[in-house]
């Protein structure tokens, strides 16, 4: 944004992360990211636009709430990048499942529930074990696999403390967990920048596992299939900027399920940027400002444009070589 002469105001509750980036933004507010605090900053600074995709799940949730309450409209603040309606389509489990099925893509069989009785009814229809997921949740908060009604009751009671909607879906325990980072501009140019695979299968939370970039156990056919599905879905949803799509892949066939899309930069995005030399945060900002992929120079290579797609499997030898050298030290 500084390159484009745009004044930026950062709201960041974590003082430690900004201590070494003194000139990162024109102004920094060390405040909690909540509706009340952010609205007061908007009232004081009177910005004309806001970026929601760079502050994790908390910023995304607050941005949606600011939009729904009419606060952004009241202060004439425009959301840059992915539209709020598209964010809702990725965060609301039912809306997301509908978006996938609209274009013939597979998601786990599931239904939403707003209370324990509904959850039991859905679980009996699908058949135990089932996966319980929460909408608008940080780090999979409250989600998990349950094997019977007793476990479901315990999980549901915890879940409904954080949300008024949970999703009960078929268990994909033991399937491979695969992720792709995808970027798209407002002109519908869309590329996949990195593939990742969890060492642990579905059933182990990503935060408790180790992820490897690029994928290690997929065939070229499987890799291309999931890449194509991801691009098709992201175009259908209308993400502008960067996002992350997660899949479950049957280890005994090429059957798949789309788990979710994060319409924001995540922990995976940081790994992907380092593994590929494709600076996702930088490029996502430029795309949110209205640039096309071919108009943005990759700030790392300084030779290629942002529309140059890193090979999804060609970092393999370099990556392994890097590990061997580190181990030898």
């Amino acid at each position: 944004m500084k390159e484009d002469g745009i004044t930026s105001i950062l709201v960041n509750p974590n003082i430690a992360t900004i201590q070494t980036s003194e000139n990162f933004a024109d102004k920094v507010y060390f405040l909690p990211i909540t509706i009340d605090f952010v609205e007061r900053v908007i009232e004081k600074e009177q910005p004309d636009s806001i970026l929601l995709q760079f502050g994790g799940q908390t910023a995304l949730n607050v941005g949606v709430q600011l939009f729904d309450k009419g606060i952004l409209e009241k202060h004439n603040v425009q959301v840059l990048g992915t539209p709020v309606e598209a964010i809702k389509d990725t965060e609301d489990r039912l809306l997301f499942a509908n978006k996938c099925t609209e274009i013939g893509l597979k998601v786990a069989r599931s239904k939403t529930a707003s209370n324990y009785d509904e959850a039991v009814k859905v679980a009996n229809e699908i058949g135990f074990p089932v996966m319980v997921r929460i909408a608008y949740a940080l780090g999979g908060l409250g989600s998990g696999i349950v094997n019977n009604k007793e476990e479901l009751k315990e999980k549901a009671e915890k879940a409904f403390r954080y949300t008024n909607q949970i999703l009960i879906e078929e268990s994909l325990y033991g399937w491979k967990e695969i992720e792709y980072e995808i970027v798209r501009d407002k002109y519908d140019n869309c590329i996949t920048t990195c593939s990742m695979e969890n060492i642990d299968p579905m059933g182990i939370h990503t935060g408790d596992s180790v992820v490897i970039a690029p994928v290690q156990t997929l065939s070229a056919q499987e890799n291309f299939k999931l890449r194509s599905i991801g691009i098709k879905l992201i175009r259908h949803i209308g993400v502008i900027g960067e996002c992350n799509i997660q899949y479950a892949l049957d280890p005994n066939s090429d059957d798949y399920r789309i788990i979710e899309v994060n319409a924001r930069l995540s922990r995976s995005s940081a790994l992907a940027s380092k593994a590929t030399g494709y600076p996702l945060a930088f490029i996502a900002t430029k795309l949110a400002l209205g640039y096309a992929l071919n108009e943005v120079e990759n700030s790392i290579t300084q030779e290629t444009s942002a529309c140059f797609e890193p090979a999804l499997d060609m970092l393999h030898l370099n990556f392994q070589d890097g590990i061997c050298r580190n181990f030898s030290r």
Side-chain angles (χ1 to χ4, degrees):
M1 287 190 288
K2 202 160 262 188
E3 282 185 3
D4 283 69
I6 298 171
T7 300
S8 60
I9 300 121
L10 174 67
V11 182
N12 184 357
N14 189 344
I15 294 174
T17 62
I18 202 67
Q19 284 178 340
T20 55
S21 307
E22 187 178 349
N23 298 315
F24 189 71
D26 294 281
K27 287 188 179 180
V28 180
Y29 284 85
F30 297 118
L31 296 172
I33 299 179
T34 64
I35 296 179
D36 294 336
F37 280 109
V38 175
E39 183 179 13
R40 288 169 67 182
V41 172
I42 290 173
E43 288 173 347
K44 181 184 177 186
E45 296 293 342
Q46 298 183 334
D48 56 18
S49 51
I50 188 170
L51 288 164
L52 306 179
Q53 295 169 270
F54 302 86
Q57 189 68 50
T58 302
L60 212 60
N61 291 352
V62 169
V64 170
Q65 291 167 353
L66 289 167
F67 178 86
D68 286 343
K69 290 180 179 293
I71 294 170
L72 297 181
E73 184 179 9
K74 174 185 172 183
H75 296 285
N76 297 314
V77 179
Q78 174 189 0
V79 176
L80 299 180
T82 302
V84 173
E85 292 305 324
I87 292 172
K88 289 181 179 180
D89 286 338
T90 62
E91 292 293 322
D92 185 292
R93 297 292 179 179
L94 182 58
L95 291 176
F96 180 69
N98 290 340
K99 277 289 179 183
C100 292
T101 53
E102 280 173 7
I103 53 175
L105 301 180
K106 291 184 180 181
V107 291
R109 288 186 300 118
S110 63
K111 283 188 178 179
T112 55
S114 55
N115 57 57
Y116 170 67
D117 291 335
E118 286 184 14
V120 172
K121 182 180 178 182
V122 172
N124 286 332
E125 290 176 7
I126 294 175
F128 287 98
V130 294
M131 180 72 183
V132 178
R133 293 187 182 276
I134 300 180
Y136 298 95
L138 175 64
L141 182 70
S143 300
I145 293 174
V146 297
N147 298 295
N148 50 53
K149 289 183 180 179
E150 290 72 27
E151 291 181 11
L152 176 59
K153 182 178 181 181
E154 181 183 353
K155 183 69 71 175
E157 286 177 351
K158 288 182 180 178
F160 285 126
R161 293 174 194 167
Y162 305 111
T163 184
N164 57 9
Q165 181 199 74
I166 64 174
L167 188 79
I168 309 296
E169 70 180 24
E170 66 176 314
S171 172
L172 301 171
Y173 188 85
W175 288 33
K176 296 178 183 181
E177 186 168 354
I178 310 294
E179 302 178 43
Y180 289 81
E181 296 289 329
I182 299 176
V183 295
R184 175 181 175 271
D185 64 24
K186 68 177 185 179
Y187 304 102
D188 207 26
N189 300 308
C190 191
I191 65 169
T192 306
T193 64
C194 186
S195 65
M196 289 168 280
E197 178 176 4
N198 275 43
I199 286 181
D200 295 294
M202 295 287 293
I204 306 297
H205 190 271
T206 308
D208 297 322
S209 185
V210 174
V211 68
I212 299 293
V215 293
Q216 300 292 298
T217 68
L218 268 63
S219 66
Q221 179 181 345
E222 289 171 329
N223 206 5
F224 183 77
K225 177 180 179 177
L226 295 184
R227 172 191 177 277
S228 301
I229 288 169
I231 289 175
K232 182 177 181 180
L233 178 58
I234 297 318
R235 281 178 164 158
H236 183 61
I237 291 173
V239 169
I240 298 175
E242 193 272 349
C243 67
N244 168 274
I245 183 168
Q246 298 177 17
Y247 300 94
L249 183 68
D250 186 352
N252 301 311
S253 71
D254 66 348
D255 197 13
Y256 74 93
R257 300 288 187 275
I258 298 171
I259 303 171
E260 66 179 0
V261 167
N262 289 309
R264 58 180 174 84
L265 278 94
S266 63
R267 290 171 298 182
S268 302
S269 309
L271 169 64
S273 297
K274 292 170 184 173
T276 61
Y278 191 97
L280 285 166
F282 174 85
I283 290 168
T285 305
K286 293 291 188 181
L287 300 184
L289 294 176
Y291 285 89
L293 276 166
N294 63 302
E295 294 174 332
V296 181
E297 183 186 80
N298 184 320
S299 59
I300 302 298
T301 65
Q302 296 185 342
E303 293 180 358
T304 56
S305 72
C307 65
F308 184 84
E309 181 175 286
L312 296 184
D313 57 358
M314 288 305 288
L315 358 155
H316 199 147
L317 290 175
N318 290 334
F319 189 75
Q320 285 191 328
D321 184 42
I323 287 177
C324 291
R325 284 204 305 271
N326 287 337
F327 275 15
S328 69
R329 292 196 191 108

